[in-house]
Amino acid sequence: MRILVVNVNTTRSLTESIGQQAESAASPGTDIVPLTPAFGAESVEGNYESYLAALAVMETVRAYPGPFDAVIQAGYGEHGREGLQELLDVPVVDITEAAASTAQFLGRTYSVVTSLDRTVPLIEERLQAAGLSARCASVRASGLPVLTLEQDEEAAVDAIAEQAARAVEDDRAEVICLGCGGMSGLTERVVDRTGVPVVDGVTAAVKVAESLVGLGLTTSKVRTYAPPRAKAIRNWPPVAR
């Protein structure tokens, strides 16, 4: 089984980190292929960058030369999953939805701890669209930009753990979801600080993808995610000015 794990930003060191986390969860015989988009922002922290990332991820997957069995979109709260589902005949798993759905097996309510406050609405909208918001106690921001998570891991753990503890104490959350692909690898340290289950979206997505492939299941093509209709698409890819 081969799973493409696509970073939504162009920072290759984050792609490597996400790939390592995915490999740690993969079963024997599962080949993890981390991919970095050829264009886009170095980190995704708003709507413009998210829509740009959606295009970049779709084009990156379309350009992949070999066969694959599933795709993981490794961006928390980002756009584009629906477009991938139209384009592909294999399962597509978004880490936002994988984390939240997994959390609901572990407790009555869950909270998400993410990076900047400006990304909170994107995550809330993704959870709402996926039908996963009813048991979400809160979405909290650590206040750290995505790239800071990599540059100062101790500060990242402190800020994330603080918000996770507040979610448990103040928002009555029973499970914490790490709301950024760049937070992969921090799970155990946040568990130590909070005492509740902590779900990393990357590892959860790997297990969801493996299960779907193993069950022989993929996206319905009857209506919502039917393949794009054949038509002329002008000036794409865009010509550099």
Side-chain angles (χ1 to χ4, degrees), residues 16 160 169 175 178 187 207 219:
E16 293 172 4
I160 294 163
E169 186 65 27
V175 183
L178 298 179
T187 305
K207 288 306 182 186
T219 306

Side-chain angles (χ1 to χ4, degrees), residues 13-241:
S13 57
L14 281 177
T15 303
E16 293 172 4
S17 176
I18 290 168
Q20 291 168 2
Q21 189 70 2
E23 288 173 356
S24 74
S27 301
T30 296
D31 182 21
I32 298 294
V33 181
L35 297 176
T36 305
F39 63 92
E42 62 179 350
S43 62
V44 180
E45 296 167 325
N47 281 285
Y48 170 74
E49 294 161 354
S50 180
Y51 281 112
L52 185 61
L55 286 173
V57 168
M58 286 188 283
E59 291 304 300
T60 298
V61 172
R62 278 162 52 92
Y64 184 75
F68 53 91
D69 301 290
V71 173
I72 292 172
Q73 179 174 293
Y76 218 95
E78 311 307 340
H79 300 92
R81 185 262 296 159
E82 296 88 345
L84 283 171
Q85 287 184 293
E86 289 186 5
L87 291 172
L88 303 176
D89 292 323
V90 300
V92 177
V93 181
D94 172 72
I95 66 171
T96 318
E97 298 168 15
S101 57
T102 300
Q104 293 185 135
F105 288 106
L106 306 174
R108 181 176 176 272
T109 58
Y110 69 93
S111 284
V112 178
V113 179
T114 188
S115 53
L116 297 179
D117 182 66
R118 65 177 295 157
T119 66
V120 169
L122 278 73
I123 294 171
E124 291 175 338
E125 288 171 4
R126 172 54 62 187
L127 294 173
Q128 179 72 33
L132 293 165
S133 60
R135 289 165 61 183
C136 181
S138 61
V139 180
R140 286 178 166 267
S142 65
L144 296 176
V146 170
L147 297 182
T148 301
L149 300 174
E150 191 179 40
Q151 295 164 358
D152 191 343
E153 189 170 294
E154 289 304 319
V157 171
D158 287 342
I160 294 163
E162 178 184 355
Q163 291 303 318
R166 289 186 181 181
V168 172
E169 186 65 27
D170 299 339
D171 307 330
R172 311 295 289 171
E174 298 177 5
V175 183
I176 297 297
C177 294
L178 298 179
C180 176
M183 293 179 183
S184 293
L186 303 184
T187 305
E188 292 183 5
R189 297 171 72 180
V190 179
V191 170
D192 290 342
R193 303 279 191 95
T194 61
V196 301
V198 176
V199 182
D200 163 54
V202 173
T203 53
V206 169
K207 288 306 182 186
V208 171
E210 286 183 334
S211 296
L212 292 173
V213 174
L215 291 168
L217 297 173
T218 191
T219 306
S220 172
K221 295 294 182 177
V222 170
R223 187 174 297 112
T224 306
Y225 305 121
R229 295 180 63 200
K231 62 185 71 174
I233 299 179
R234 295 183 178 86
N235 301 320
W236 183 258
V239 178
R241 299 184 204 179

